[in-house]
Amino acid sequence: MDTALVHDLRIDTAPKTLRELTLERLRGAIISGRFASGERLVERVLCDQIGVSRSIIREAICFLEAEGLVEIAPRSGPIVARMDWAQAKQIYDIRMLLEAQAATTCAQKADAAAKTKLKSVLKALRNVFAQPDGDDKEQAVYATTTHFYEVIFTTAEHEVAWDIVHRLNGRISRLRALTLAMADRPVSGLTRITEICDAIVANDPDRAAHAVQNHLAEAAAIARRLLADEASAKDGQA
C-alpha cells in the first residue's frame, strides 16, 4: 500500500467525546462569566441547554469542582464557585512567585528552539486576539495563553511549579477573563505578554522577571477593583 495514503488516513488526534465537549462548554461558560459567581447549576436545565444526559453533566461538574470552579452548597447543590479578592490575591501571590522565577530561569536556559516555540505561541495569541469577539475566541485566548506559560515553565524545567499553576488554571482563567480585555488598562494584556516573550528571547532574566511582575501587578489591581465592584453590587441587591 502507498505509504502516503497510509499517512493521509492516520488519525493523529482522537475525536473529543461528549464528556470532554460538555466539560469544555461548562468550563468556558463559567470562566467567561455567562454563569455568574454563586449561580446554581441545575442538572435538568444544563441537560436541556447542552443536549446531553444527566450522567455526563454530573461527571463534568465533578471535574469542575476539582478545578475549583464549582462548589457544592448545602441545600442548593452545585453552584459556580464564588470568587472574592481574598481568594484572588492568594492566586496572584502564587503566580507572582512561580511565574517570575520560571521566566527568570527560562530566559537563562532558552535556546533557539525554545525561542522559536515561544514566538510561535505568541503569534498564535495575536491571531486569536484579532478574531471577532465570541465564545470561541474567549476559549482560544485562555488555551493559547496557558500554552504560552507552559512553554516558559517546561523550558525552565520547573515541572512541579507548573503542576501547581496548572491545578489553579481554571481560577486563573476566570481572573484572566476579568482583566485581559479591559479597555482601560494602562498597557494591554497582549502587550505585557509580548514584553515577557521579548525579554526571554533576549536571554535577559532580570527583564523577564520584571515583565512578569509588571503584568501580574497590573492585572491584580484591575481584578481587585472589579471584584470590589461586583461585591458592592451584590450588597446593594441584598
Side-chain angles (χ1 to χ4, degrees):
M1 182 179 289
D2 188 342
T3 56
L5 178 59
V6 171
H7 180 73
D8 288 341
L9 291 173
R10 184 179 299 277
I11 299 174
D12 294 319
T13 304
K16 292 180 179 178
T17 66
L18 271 179
R19 289 173 178 80
E20 292 171 325
L21 290 170
T22 300
L23 179 59
E24 284 184 4
R25 294 291 174 87
L26 285 176
R27 184 190 288 119
I30 292 171
I31 288 171
S32 67
R34 177 179 293 181
F35 294 149
S37 179
E39 183 175 342
R40 286 186 64 205
L41 298 172
V42 181
E43 288 181 3
R44 174 180 49 78
V45 174
L46 292 175
C47 289
D48 292 340
Q49 289 176 329
I50 301 175
V52 295
S53 68
R54 285 201 175 193
S55 64
I56 291 177
I57 293 294
R58 286 170 186 160
E59 286 185 35
I61 286 174
C62 284
F63 274 106
L64 295 172
E65 184 183 6
E67 292 178 6
L69 292 177
V70 169
E71 59 189 47
I72 306 301
R75 297 182 298 278
S76 296
I79 64 172
V80 176
R82 298 174 180 86
M83 174 74 77
D84 57 22
W85 171 242
Q87 293 174 320
K89 183 179 185 302
Q90 293 178 62
I91 292 171
Y92 280 114
D93 287 346
I94 291 169
R95 289 186 64 192
M96 187 73 77
L97 290 170
L98 298 182
E99 290 180 20
Q101 186 57 56
T104 297
T105 308
C106 182
Q108 294 167 339
K109 288 177 173 282
D111 58 12
K115 293 175 187 180
T116 297
K117 189 171 185 179
L118 197 63
K119 288 189 287 187
S120 175
V121 179
L122 179 62
K123 181 179 179 181
L125 187 60
R126 287 198 185 104
N127 291 338
V128 170
F129 268 98
Q131 293 175 10
D133 290 341
D135 291 346
D136 289 343
K137 175 182 178 178
E138 289 173 351
Q139 293 189 34
V141 167
Y142 310 140
T144 310
T145 304
T146 298
H147 189 197
F148 177 83
Y149 284 103
E150 183 180 12
V151 172
I152 291 175
F153 276 84
T154 53
T155 301
E157 298 181 321
H158 287 195
E159 290 87 358
V160 174
W162 174 246
D163 185 56
I164 293 169
V165 172
H166 191 63
R167 289 171 186 269
L168 291 171
N169 196 50
R171 282 170 280 189
I172 289 171
S173 292
R174 275 183 84 180
L175 292 169
R176 283 193 183 124
L178 283 174
T179 63
L180 267 180
M182 286 298 294
D184 64 342
R185 56 187 299 169
V187 180
S188 74
L190 181 57
T191 299
R192 289 298 190 198
I193 292 172
T194 301
E195 290 172 354
I196 296 169
C197 181
D198 289 345
I200 291 172
V201 169
N203 292 114
D204 189 333
D206 291 338
R207 183 154 64 98
H210 190 60
V212 168
Q213 290 160 356
N214 282 343
H215 177 47
L216 292 177
E218 187 174 277
I222 295 169
R224 182 173 188 174
R225 172 169 56 84
L226 293 174
L227 289 169
D229 290 346
E230 185 178 287
S232 297
K234 287 180 179 177
D235 290 342
Q237 294 171 359

